[in-house]
Every structure is written in structure tokens, then in C-alpha cells.
Amino acid sequence: METCKTVAKLREHIAGLRRQGFSVGLVPTMGFLHAGHMALVAQAAREADRVIVSIFVNPTQFGDPSDLENYPRDTERDLAMLRDAGVEAVFLPSVEDIYPQGAETIVETMRLANVLHGEVREGHFRGVATVVAKLFNIVQPDLACFGEKDYQQLQVIRQMVKDLHFPLRIIGCPTVREADGLALSSRNVRLSPEDRLAALVLNQALDRAEEMCGNGATVEELLAEVTAVIQAEPRSHLRAVDVTEAITLRPVSGKPAGPLALMISAEFGDVLLIDQREISP
Ligand code: PAF
């Protein structure tokens, strides 16, 4: 497995793969890998001849400097996992590589970035779109894999790819959960045992909403129930709950006519978790 710390080295390596006629799949990550990331790698390996994984904790998508500082990192462990999974190359750029001095270009999906979780995490999706656009330009992959857990992020990226005519395929992969239902996230290691247990309420609220939606509930009833379920857990601090039209994330009310996106963000201690699901009437 090749470890590329600069844009130039990665580009040279990818040029070699292209000369051999290989297709390339990209899995962008911020490291501290878990089974959810490895499912993205496995999906990319099924769809492309060679898989490139980027590990970059992107400063521009963090609002709170302490959240960026506390983001868990373990590059040696990540590299071992990727080597075992048969990854072709890992891109480990520095902040200066991705954001050279004087850089002033940003990418923003104007509406999608600023609804829902974008309202509580100001600038977050601008940071995501900007770094992902840079990664797409650097790697020029045939396809890229992203988790459906970050549902809004996935829609932002799909929209950006469409708007900017990036010639690649975006593959959304199902959320991977622990046996007890907690969605895998690199942030989970920072939860105390009590908060880890309390955080199960996220999946329970999604289950409850999915059941109610299947039984004909209105959007308002879903919102009220999810809010009540989360607030009944004393260790949770609900930051946002939203129900929108799936994919477009446009507002919706009353009896839904088609699939909905349900998104929750809540803090447990000082750890912000999100969980989201597409549900259908
Ligand atoms: O989902 C993530 O880990 C990040 O938001 C991403 C897509 C790697 C961009 O930094």
C-alpha cells in the first residue's frame, strides 16, 4: 500500500494506475476508522479496480476549535486496517497542502448547506463541499463512496457533483450500526459508558418514527414524537430534529406523499452525535 503525503506524489501514483487502465474509487475520511468506513472501502473495491482512501481532519468543517482539537486520531491503526483491506494508496495530506497560503476559493451548495443541520452547524457543509471538491480534483476518481448516516452531507455532495459537472459516480452506502443500534461514528469513543447507553435513544427515536410513518402519521406528529423520545432521556441535549422531503431536503407538512428524511442531532456530555434515516409512508 502506497502512503502519499503530498498532492504531487498521489497524482504520480494515480497516473501509473491510469496508464495500466485501472478504474479508481475514492473513500474520503477523517481517519479513526471503524467498520462503517471499512464498509465504504469494501463497496468501493466492488465497484472500482483500485481504491484510494484519504485521511484528512478537515479544519474548515469544524465550528468549535475544541471539537477539532478533540477529534480522535490514530493514523498507525488506520493504515494497518487499510493495508489489511487491500487498499491501493492512502492520501495523508497536511493542512497546508489542502489549503495553501492565500487560498480563497470555497464551494457552497447555497440552499442545501444552510437548512437543517447546516443551521446549527454554521459553515459545516461549506467546509465539507470545499474539501470534497478539492479531493475530487486531486484524485479524479471514477466513483466515490459516502455513508448514508451523514444524509445531508450525501445530498450536498450529490448536488455539488451535478452543479459542477464532476465526471464521477457518487455511491451512498447504508449506515453501519452496533448490535444495540448505535450508529458507528469516530466520535463514539469519546462517550462515557453512561452517555454511550443514553445515545441509544437516537436509534430508538428513528425506529419509532419509521413505525409511525408507516402507520400514516403526519409530519407534525413525527416531529413531536421524536422530540419527546429524545427529551425523555435525561442525559441527552437535543440540538435539532427535522423531517423533510427525502433527497431535496425541502420542507414538508401534513400527511407525507413520498419518502421523508428524518434527521436528529443531540449532545451526550460534550459529544455531538447525529443520526438520520429515510422513512416512507
Ligand atoms: O464524512 C466525513 O468523514 C467528512 O465529512 C468528509 C466527507 C471526509 C469530508 O471531510
Side-chain angles (χ1 to χ4, degrees):
M1 186 177 76
E2 196 71 26
T3 302
C4 303
K5 293 199 169 161
T6 62
V7 173
K9 186 166 177 210
L10 182 75
R11 282 202 161 142
E12 193 187 313
H13 188 78
I14 292 172
L17 298 176
R18 292 299 191 188
R19 276 195 298 275
Q20 295 171 76
F22 291 132
S23 61
V24 171
L26 172 67
V27 180
T29 81
M30 298 206 297
F32 210 73
L33 304 178
H34 52 64
H37 295 110
M38 300 319 286
L40 301 182
V41 169
Q43 183 65 32
R46 280 192 287 275
E47 307 265 351
D49 299 323
R50 294 291 182 271
V51 178
I52 312 285
V53 175
S54 61
I55 299 180
F56 179 64
V57 182
N58 174 34
T60 64
Q61 69 188 76
F62 287 82
D64 174 359
S66 71
D67 195 23
L68 171 62
E69 208 174 294
N70 292 330
Y71 198 82
R73 295 161 168 90
D74 189 343
T75 307
E76 286 317 308
R77 185 173 140 273
D78 290 346
L79 291 177
M81 287 168 77
L82 297 174
R83 202 171 289 118
D84 286 351
V87 163
E88 168 70 29
V90 180
F91 182 38
L92 277 169
S94 65
V95 173
E96 294 68 37
D97 251 311
I98 297 294
Y99 298 104
Q101 239 207 327
E104 52 176 276
T105 303
I106 55 168
V107 178
E108 183 163 18
T109 53
M110 298 307 289
R111 186 186 61 84
L112 275 174
N114 295 305
V115 293
L116 311 174
H117 288 174
E119 281 176 359
V120 280
R121 300 178 76 187
E122 211 269 309
H124 171 74
F125 291 110
R126 183 193 311 135
V128 169
T130 301
V131 78
V132 172
K134 284 170 181 265
L135 291 169
F136 287 172
N137 275 327
I138 293 167
V139 177
Q140 305 198 352
D142 298 280
L143 59 96
C145 295
F146 295 88
E148 285 172 355
K149 180 174 100 60
D150 297 309
Y151 189 85
Q152 186 169 0
Q153 166 171 289
L154 181 58
Q155 308 318 325
V156 164
I157 291 166
R158 286 193 193 284
Q159 185 72 43
M160 174 190 80
V161 162
K162 188 168 158 223
D163 292 349
L164 298 183
H165 305 274
F166 277 108
L168 83 160
R169 204 151 52 88
I170 299 297
I171 300 177
C173 302
T175 305
V176 180
R177 295 181 183 276
E178 303 274 12
D180 60 9
L182 184 68
L184 295 190
S185 162
S186 304
R187 293 170 187 267
N188 291 352
V189 289
R190 292 184 45 229
L191 292 167
S192 68
E194 296 76 18
D195 286 332
R196 159 85 185 59
L197 201 61
L200 297 181
V201 74
L202 295 173
N203 188 46
Q204 287 158 5
L206 293 176
D207 282 348
R208 176 83 188 108
E210 187 165 19
E211 185 194 327
M212 284 176 64
C213 189
N215 290 332
T218 62
V219 168
E220 294 71 20
E221 285 163 346
L222 294 174
L223 278 170
E225 180 67 10
V226 169
T227 304
V229 171
I230 303 285
Q231 286 179 340
E233 167 49 63
R235 300 187 76 88
S236 76
H237 174 60
L238 185 61
R239 291 280 300 276
V241 49
D242 279 295
V243 176
T244 65
E245 203 175 81
I247 316 269
T248 65
L249 309 188
R250 290 199 184 275
V252 67
S253 61
K255 286 248 186 219
L260 302 172
L262 168 55
M263 286 165 275
I264 309 172
S265 51
E267 273 167 342
F268 297 84
D270 65 346
V271 183
L272 177 69
L273 296 182
I274 57 176
D275 207 344
Q276 0 204 349
R277 192 179 296 177
E278 229 180 79
I279 57 178
S280 292

